[in-house]
Amino acid sequence: MLKKFTSLFPLWAILLSVVAYLRPEYFAPHQGLIVPFLSLIMLGMGVTLSVSSFLTVLKRPHVVLLGTLMQYTLMPLAAWAVSLALKLPADLMAGMILLGCCPGGTASNVICYLAKGDVALSIVLTSVSTMLAFLATPFLTWLFIGQTVNVDVTGMLVSVVRIVIVPVVLGLAINYFFEARIRAVRDVFPAISAAAIVVIIAIIIGTNSENLEQSGFLVLLAVVLHNGLGLAGGYGVAKALKLSEKEARTLAIEVGMQNSGLSVALAIKHFTAGAALPGAIFSIWHNLSGAFLAGHWSKETVPDPDKSERPKTIGHIN
């Protein structure tokens, strides 16, 4: 029953999103729940992981390097190409490119967990791209649109530690010391995560309902194309380099899902309110597209990349 509920969570996301759009007052006042809910999800993920999961990731630095490179090359280029193709106005183009130059978002860890990806790899990639953001985001923004932005990397890192690292470490400790006792309830955590992310999506939609009405078809199309290119590019490159299915899913999600909250904050600070629209719409869309993707992938059994199905060499990276 719990597995059925979890597998249908894209449906719950759509239903609650419609309610949130039509009656935003039900969800918009509850923005304060987003961080606690994310932390709860991360705690649940930590309980399902082990220290060896992260040690295994450290033995694959080429995968971390590949994911980080795609984060800061594919997404800015995709934003630039989509903006030119759709002939976006200057402020919307600035917002799109700024969005593409941001690091991965913490929601990607949740989607990766529900999609049966490599959660430890996802957390490492989010942390690395966030640490590099203080250099990469301003430089790439300047490179593409000729204007620099100031990134509060300290604040971002504190958020990642508080929302992601601390709950995951706590979950790892619970799993290590009480593994036998929690084994019977371990299947509950994916269902809790699914319910929590559905509520988070509804809160985001309720908060941005006016933006949705004002943004128009063009911004929505740009965001959908940008997110789609990131997801497809991350998965396609990983598969072309003969990475495992689990790693390919993880890279798709990590590359395709941006820290849209950062892009909104930077756009308002350095550009215009209009430039913040792509990030605001992206924050809604990438959660919905991620929910659909996770719902599809969660139904499939994924071979363990650390077993024999994984090739000894990966493309020409080694």
Side-chain angles (χ1 to χ4, degrees):
M1 186 176 176
L2 287 172
K3 288 182 179 178
K4 186 67 175 177
F5 172 83
T6 304
S7 67
L8 290 175
F9 93 94
L11 174 63
W12 313 137
I14 292 175
L15 292 175
L16 216 59
S17 295
V18 171
V19 174
Y21 179 71
L22 296 176
R23 303 305 298 263
E25 67 273 15
Y26 291 169
F27 296 95
H30 304 296
Q31 294 179 56
L33 291 177
I34 292 178
V35 170
F37 272 31
L38 278 174
S39 297
L40 175 66
I41 295 168
M42 297 299 166
L43 176 66
M45 284 194 290
V47 171
T48 65
L49 294 171
S50 64
V51 175
S52 62
S53 304
F54 290 92
L55 294 178
T56 301
V57 171
L58 297 178
K59 295 176 183 177
R60 293 175 276 152
H62 48 274
V63 182
V64 177
L65 177 61
L66 175 63
T68 305
L69 282 174
M70 283 197 289
Q71 179 76 62
Y72 285 123
T73 55
L74 177 60
M75 292 307 278
L77 285 170
W80 176 73
V82 167
S83 298
L84 289 181
L86 297 179
K87 298 179 180 178
L88 294 182
D91 59 339
L92 293 180
M93 184 173 184
M96 280 298 302
I97 289 175
L98 181 57
L99 174 66
C101 296
C102 284
T106 53
S108 63
N109 307 142
V110 182
I111 297 300
C112 183
Y113 172 55
L114 294 170
K116 295 183 179 178
D118 189 332
V119 178
L121 175 61
S122 175
I123 292 171
V124 170
L125 284 169
T126 299
S127 301
V128 170
S129 67
T130 300
M131 285 189 287
L132 293 176
F134 79 104
L135 289 174
T137 299
F139 172 73
L140 290 170
T141 304
W142 169 81
L143 186 66
F144 280 96
I145 56 179
Q147 184 167 332
T148 58
V149 294
N150 299 317
V151 179
D152 179 16
V153 68
T154 303
M156 287 166 56
L157 286 174
V158 169
S159 295
V160 169
V161 170
R162 185 163 54 94
I163 298 171
V164 179
I165 306 299
V166 171
V168 167
V169 170
L170 182 58
L172 284 170
I174 292 171
N175 187 32
Y176 182 81
F177 290 108
F178 306 103
E179 182 181 7
R181 295 184 183 180
I182 65 171
R183 190 176 296 135
V185 297
R186 191 168 284 164
D187 288 342
V188 173
F189 292 110
I192 292 174
S193 297
I197 196 68
V198 166
V199 173
I200 288 171
I201 292 170
I203 293 171
I204 292 170
I205 289 180
T207 305
N208 290 281
S209 58
E210 290 185 10
N211 285 337
L212 280 170
E213 292 176 3
Q214 297 171 4
S215 63
F217 176 75
L218 196 62
V219 179
L220 179 60
L221 178 60
V223 163
V224 170
L225 289 173
H226 185 227
N227 176 237
L229 287 170
L231 293 171
Y235 187 85
V237 169
K239 279 298 187 180
L241 293 173
K242 303 190 187 316
L243 297 183
S244 71
E245 174 66 18
K246 208 166 188 177
E247 290 168 327
R249 291 182 184 187
T250 304
L251 290 184
I253 292 166
E254 278 299 316
V255 174
M257 297 186 70
Q258 299 292 93
N259 190 329
S260 51
L262 174 65
S263 76
V264 170
L266 292 177
I268 291 173
K269 183 177 180 180
H270 296 284
F271 299 107
T272 64
L277 270 178
I281 303 304
F282 194 94
S283 70
I284 299 168
W285 174 254
H286 80 157
N287 280 295
L288 286 173
S289 65
F292 277 106
L293 203 54
H296 170 68
W297 276 338
S298 67
K299 298 172 185 176
E300 302 175 6
T301 302
V302 188
D304 190 333
D306 302 316
K307 305 299 182 184
S308 57
E309 69 91 37
R310 192 170 182 273
K312 292 182 180 178
T313 57
I314 301 177
H316 297 290
I317 305 176
N318 261 349

